[in-house]
């Protein structure tokens, strides 16, 4: 976003302030959270030095200001929006009027404000976040990320006074792609829910919203080119759809938080709902010599299929500004293709024998060409690579299958073939279990496989996935947070940040902070927060 | 509550109305909910006959009225409160003014109102619900339960008109004790959350709130007799406690919904938090010949312990009107008792040898006598029975341990010994798993064990338990509902109501109804509701 930024804290130093005690520790009980030496920072920055010197922050006078010579100033709405957001987080939305007669004692050093100095000659104030190579983040402190970290340094003393310790931080992400997948097909998610989760993503330094927008069950994306897709394929034609305006709102809300929005239009499988609004798109399945009335994957042998895809992805390319589109390509069931006599004839003509993977590859190959023509890069699930489809060098392979050893092998194979890889297998957060499963998520590492340094470099990150079969607006947010936060730290912090006990302490505080910001993040274990969630 | 009540629907029959279609059915996909022949009734009544004849309900003129000769009338606040509540559920809280000039066509038959005829000579309008023997429910249609069932019969046509089919129902519960345990010690639950779940319990015909109010982690019950217990033992002395007024509010809210409130004060184990506010209550543990500084279970060898318990349970008996108190008695760890030289001396004096179960039994025996003196019945976890403590004939044994075969054996043993039993083992809803685990909860049956008819009759019901280690206000409600609904139907409906497929269809509708009433009940599987949850 911004290749290098500087935060300057200014104030008057006159006394010291002790560490706060904010957690009751009872050694006889199962491990309760204890204060971490890193406070409540989450994810942990690359370099932190904290000094036992505190400053007071006065809500009425504290200011976030553009520094002298900053390349982004008052006209940068992105920045001003962020100031407003974090002012609310730091001071709880209440900014009292400065009283006429005020206490002029200066018993404590006061931090007057935060000076934000943007040094990037081209601060993308009105542009979208984009894929950036690892190196350019090495010395940067991203704008939002920096404000989030600053807000995490602020704490309250016993009298409710806002304090911040003298702290030096130098930070950058370990991986450039830190994603979260939400699925709006198995259950429709109201826009409000998506926005709340984008907000929470920013608190956790996630920077990619992978929007699994359509699937078998429903097609809530309202297409201008093919309005029947949602008209007939959504759960409801206007209460359970994302209008063009909804999509814009989501993309802009994400942009203001440094989050890219990558839509997934998964084909040729997972497309039952597409068939309702687009006759002839899906393969008619046969029972013996007659059509059974049911349909299979997208029909790969018709020119009309590719005409449709060309027009649809041209629209998608225009609606979604990100440089990448996720094309899916997973879990294609060949049963229906095998039952269809036209498909079988086509297979013979192509000399594919009984190898239906070749038919799938033919389809995906043509789709990749279509998407390339829209100037977008492609992300595809690992099956496409496994099936040997010829891919462009910039394709991203998304690994999601198998056991620990299987996905490590897959990461090794993908990167050995020279492709960049994203990992999701250990982070299927929809698969819930009793107890602290976040510890397993935390321990998984995308670079933990046999390979050369060059191979490891091809791992650009990963994504936490919350598939939607069992979640909707009722339970999504508490089920996702703070479990996804464990993945967020794994993708952001240094490789050697692996102390699960310390993570437990910081994450417990971080989840209470999310609560205070209105997000119903669930507890890690028996515990309490100073202010509990107010909803139900 | 009311031993026999009659509901009369009156109106004008003039035409027929077809069945509504409220679920999209797509056979190609994994099983989506289909309309059940029982509509959305949950739990299923004992006897239902539905006729294909519908009546319209006009929000502006529909009335719930006390029938001629009803023994409970306008002065019965319990009844009037229920009318108001169900009017809101049926008409969505919006009761439009009757327009001056209104459409006088009578194309459809109109149901003018619901006549409620209470025939019980002593309708407990101002009293608390109580334990009632199975038989007295055999011909009753409990007031709230009846209104809930009536509200479940109301549906909307495509134009939003409220309709109800001509239906005859005769209903009564299979088990008298249909409980839900919530734990306010591992995490504090705001009063608002408890009330919302009492409301949802009523929608599911649960009638016992088992309030596991204190435990090792915190003591949020504010005692007038021993204020230090919560002052020092709660997570916070005033934000994380239940004041006497809070407790009254909860009991009254429950009473108005036909729900009993049974508090659990679990001893002698699970009492770490008690020790903070009551010096000398817990056993000092020893490391060799010196006190280690940590404490074990309640100290059973001191008279001061029993003086304390006598005063505490006298207060509890006065605060909680129900005839029963739950005394816990589970999971007593003998390690600390074994380390303490005074306890060892006492063991020798009593001739207990090394059998610390005998010491535990001595304690429980004395506690049971104390509670009996307060005119309350006792419920205890199964260990107390397993350890051979002499129990009063009216004690209730609460079975919670073991595998399927183990708990069936325990149910057989408890009832063979002539005690009444409650089952919870298969209904530990805190133990979450991926997928539709409600099906397992639904299939479990409290009378599914080897025993005589007389033994089966001693099973008075069961309880769904949501222990609090991993739940608080953020995630409790969606995690509990509709999973607890599966238990509710098992405890209410006839033994032969075991069609899981039909249950799936009705429960899907029932969960959408809970949503419409503002309760974030989570989805069973890929699906949608006409109006999705609005919160986050």
């Amino acid at each position: 976003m911004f290749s290098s930024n500087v935060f300057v804290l200014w104030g008057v130093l006159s006394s010291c302030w002790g560490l706060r005690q904010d957690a009751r520790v009872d050694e006889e009980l199962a491990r309760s959270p204890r204060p971490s030496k890193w406070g409540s920072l989450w994810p942990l920055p690359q370099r932190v030095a904290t000094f036992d010197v505190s400053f007071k922050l006065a809500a009425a006078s504290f200011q976030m200001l553009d520094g002298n010579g900053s390349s982004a100033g008052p006209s940068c709405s992105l920045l001003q929006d962020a100031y407003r957001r974090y002012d609310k987080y730091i001071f709880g939305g209440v900014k009292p009027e400065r009283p006429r007669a005020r206490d002029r004692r200066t018993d404590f050093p006061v931090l007057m404000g935060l000076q934000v100095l943007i040094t990037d000659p081209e601060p993308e104030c009105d542009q979208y976040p984009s894929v950036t190579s690892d190196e350019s983040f090495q010395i940067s402190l991203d704008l939002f990320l920096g404000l989030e970290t600053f807000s995490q340094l602020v704490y309250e003393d016993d009298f409710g006074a806002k304090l911040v310790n003298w702290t030096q931080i130098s930070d950058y992400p370990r991986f450039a792609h830190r994603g979260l997948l939400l699925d709006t097909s198995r259950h429709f998610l109201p826009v409000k829910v998506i926005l709340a989760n984008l907000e929470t993503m920013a608190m956790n330094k996630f920077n990619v919203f992978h929007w699994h927008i359509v699937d078998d069950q429903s097609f809530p994306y309202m297409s201008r080119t093919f309005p029947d897709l949602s008209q007939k394929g959504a759960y409801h034609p206007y209460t359970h759809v994302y209008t063009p305006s909804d999509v814009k709102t989501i993309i802009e809300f994400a942009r203001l938080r440094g989050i890219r929005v990558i839509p997934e239009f998964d084909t040729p499988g997972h497309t039952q709902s597409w068939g309702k609004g687009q006759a002839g798109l899906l393969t008619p399945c046969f029972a013996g010599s007659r059509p059974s009335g049911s349909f299979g994957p997208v029909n790969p042998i018709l020119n009309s299929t590719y005409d449709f895809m060309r027009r649809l992805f041209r629209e998608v390319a225009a609606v979604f500004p990100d440089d990448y589109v996720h094309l899916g390509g997973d879990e294609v069931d060949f049963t229906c293709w095998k039952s269809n006599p036209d498909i079988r004839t086509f297979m013979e003509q192509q000399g594919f024998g009984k190898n239906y993977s070749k038919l799938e590859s033919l389809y995906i190959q043509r789709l990749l060409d279509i998407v390339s023509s829209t100037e977008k890069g492609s992300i595809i699930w690992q099956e496409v690579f496994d099936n040997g489809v010829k891919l462009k060098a910039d394709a991203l392979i998304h690994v999601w299958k198998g056991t620990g050893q299987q996905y490590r092998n897959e990461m090794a194979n993908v990167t050995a073939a020279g492709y960049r890889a994203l990992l999701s297998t250990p982070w299927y957060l929809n698969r819930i279990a009793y107890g602290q499963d976040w510890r397993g998520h935390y321990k998984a590492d995308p670079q933990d496989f046999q390979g050369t340094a060059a191979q490891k470099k091809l791992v650009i990150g990963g994504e936490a996935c919350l598939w939607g079969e069992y979640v909707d607006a009722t339970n999504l947010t508490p089920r996702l947070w703070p479990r996804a936060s464990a993945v967020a730290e794994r993708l952001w912090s240094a490789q050697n940040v692996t102390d699960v006990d310390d993570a437990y302490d910081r994450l417990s505080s971080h989840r209470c902070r999310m609560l205070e910001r209105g997000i119903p993040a669930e507890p890690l274990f028996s515990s309490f927060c100073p202010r509990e969630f107010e909803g139900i």
Side-chain angles (χ1 to χ4, degrees), chain A:
Chain A
M1 169 120 315
F2 297 91
S3 66
S4 85
N5 308 309
V6 177
F7 287 83
V8 181
L9 308 182
W10 80 96
V12 183
L13 171 65
S14 71
S15 76
C16 290
W17 197 268
L19 282 168
R20 67 175 169 151
Q21 293 187 312
D22 65 351
R24 297 178 182 217
V25 180
D26 191 337
E27 297 294 339
E28 291 113 59
L29 301 184
R31 176 80 163 76
S32 296
R34 289 187 284 251
S36 161
K37 66 172 173 171
W38 306 117
S40 64
L41 285 169
W42 193 278
L44 196 66
Q46 301 289 342
R47 280 190 286 279
V48 192
T50 309
F51 304 93
D52 196 8
V53 174
S54 299
F55 301 87
K56 235 172 159 177
L57 280 66
S61 59
F62 185 84
Q63 284 182 294
M64 298 188 208
L65 289 177
D66 307 307
N68 261 344
S70 179
S71 61
S75 68
C76 183
S77 64
L78 200 73
L79 197 54
Q80 303 305 322
D81 185 278
Y83 290 170
R84 187 174 56 184
R85 201 159 64 243
Y86 280 98
D87 188 274
K88 189 170 166 188
Y89 282 153
I90 293 167
F91 298 108
V94 183
K95 190 134 182 171
E97 286 293 306
R98 189 192 292 238
R100 293 274 172 87
R102 62 196 173 100
D103 187 340
R104 290 184 172 279
R105 284 181 306 172
T106 53
D107 297 333
F108 311 104
V110 174
L111 185 71
M112 305 301 293
L114 179 69
Q115 216 176 58
V116 178
L117 187 62
I118 308 294
T119 56
D120 188 327
E122 292 184 39
E124 302 159 325
C125 292
D126 301 311
Q127 290 166 44
Y128 293 97
S130 59
V131 191
T132 319
S133 66
D134 282 354
E135 290 71 16
S136 72
F137 274 91
Q138 291 290 328
I139 52 155
S140 79
L141 186 58
D142 181 283
L143 172 61
F144 311 109
L145 306 169
L147 285 175
E148 174 61 36
T149 302
F150 176 73
S151 76
Q152 295 187 2
L153 293 171
V154 178
Y155 61 94
E156 288 186 5
D157 70 7
D158 291 346
F159 306 95
K162 306 285 180 183
L163 297 169
V164 63
N165 271 31
W166 181 21
T167 306
Q168 292 175 338
I169 289 179
S170 166
D171 208 4
Y172 50 87
R174 179 174 166 211
F175 295 107
H177 187 118
R178 305 179 304 282
L180 174 66
L181 177 149
L182 296 182
D183 167 2
T184 55
S185 173
R186 275 61 180 251
H187 288 97
F188 179 78
L189 300 175
V191 170
K192 186 180 164 193
V193 173
I194 295 176
L195 300 186
N197 280 282
L198 286 167
E199 182 81 14
T200 319
M201 285 173 68
M203 296 177 202
N204 288 275
K205 296 188 168 69
F206 276 112
N207 69 346
V208 176
F209 169 36
H210 174 168
W211 191 355
H212 188 85
I213 191 166
V214 297
D215 205 297
D216 281 331
Q217 286 77 2
S218 74
F219 196 104
Y221 172 77
M222 188 185 281
S223 162
R224 288 185 196 273
T225 318
F226 300 103
D228 274 356
L229 289 173
S230 61
Q231 194 71 23
K232 298 182 179 170
Y235 281 133
H236 186 282
Y238 54 88
T239 62
H240 288 63
V241 297
Y242 301 103
T243 66
S245 165
D246 290 338
V247 173
K248 264 191 199 159
T249 299
I250 287 167
I251 293 170
E252 177 65 5
F253 192 94
R255 183 183 79 86
L256 290 174
R257 284 152 185 83
I259 298 170
R260 302 160 53 199
V261 178
I262 299 182
E264 176 180 355
F265 285 84
D266 189 357
T267 64
H270 291 278
T271 48
Q272 289 293 305
S273 69
W274 301 45
K276 294 180 181 172
Q278 185 66 18
L281 179 65
L282 304 186
T283 308
C285 312
F286 276 64
S289 59
R290 290 155 176 268
S292 69
S294 68
F295 295 87
V298 163
N299 193 330
I301 68 170
L302 302 177
N303 283 332
S304 58
T305 292
Y306 301 99
D307 291 341
F308 168 83
M309 293 295 171
R310 193 169 297 112
R311 294 179 65 197
L312 178 67
F313 279 96
R314 204 173 290 154
E315 173 182 321
V316 168
V319 168
F320 293 90
D322 198 74
D323 291 334
Y324 280 83
V325 176
H326 202 301
L327 302 179
D330 58 319
E331 298 184 310
V332 183
D333 183 346
F334 297 145
T335 316
C336 182
W337 280 351
K338 287 176 183 171
S339 78
N340 183 301
D342 295 339
I343 302 256
R344 287 201 304 264
T345 305
F346 183 85
M347 292 283 289
E348 279 170 36
Q349 288 166 355
Q350 298 288 321
F352 286 169
K354 300 284 180 202
N355 188 347
Y356 284 83
S357 289
K358 289 192 175 169
L359 182 60
E360 183 186 351
S361 295
L362 174 143
Y363 168 80
I364 294 275
Q365 188 61 60
R366 290 191 65 174
L367 182 65
L368 285 167
D369 290 344
I370 287 169
V371 172
S372 287
S373 75
T374 67
E375 306 289 317
K376 298 285 185 184
S378 294
I379 310 180
I380 31 82
W381 295 110
Q382 70 177 73
E383 285 98 320
V384 177
F385 167 80
D386 296 345
N387 286 339
V389 174
K390 205 182 75 193
L391 293 163
K392 291 216 162 188
D394 69 347
L396 283 180
I397 317 295
H398 199 158
V399 173
W400 71 279
K401 292 177 77 170
T403 63
Q405 196 47 55
Q406 285 167 336
Y407 81 69
R408 285 188 195 95
N409 291 345
E410 181 79 5
M411 292 295 282
N413 293 341
V414 167
T415 53
Y419 292 111
R420 288 181 299 159
L422 281 176
L423 180 64
S424 278
T425 307
W427 297 320
Y428 265 41
L429 302 186
N430 49 305
R431 300 201 73 88
I432 55 170
Y434 187 64
Q436 297 195 39
D437 61 352
W438 71 271
R439 290 169 184 264
H441 305 141
Y442 190 76
K443 287 173 186 165
D445 192 302
Q447 291 177 326
D448 173 23
F449 60 86
Q450 295 288 326
T452 63
Q455 278 177 269
K456 301 295 173 82
K457 251 187 140 170
L458 288 168
V459 179
I460 65 159
E463 294 187 0
C465 299
L466 191 69
W467 295 99
E469 284 86 349
Y470 299 101
V471 291
D472 69 1
T474 62
N475 60 350
L476 182 144
T477 307
R479 186 167 291 192
L480 186 54
W481 310 103
R483 293 165 74 234
S485 303
V487 183
E489 175 150 304
R490 180 56 50 236
L491 293 172
W492 176 275
S493 303
Q495 187 160 17
N496 64 4
V497 177
T498 54
D499 181 340
V500 185
D501 275 348
D502 182 67
Y504 175 66
D505 297 328
R506 284 184 293 112
L507 191 51
S508 296
S509 297
H510 182 53
R511 99 101 183 171
C512 286
R513 179 170 45 232
M514 289 192 273
L515 271 199
E516 299 213 1
R517 293 177 180 185
I519 302 300
E522 68 181 22
L524 296 176
F525 192 57
S526 302
S527 61
F528 72 104
C529 292
R531 285 177 279 269
E532 302 290 354
F533 186 61
E534 296 283 331
I536 57 158

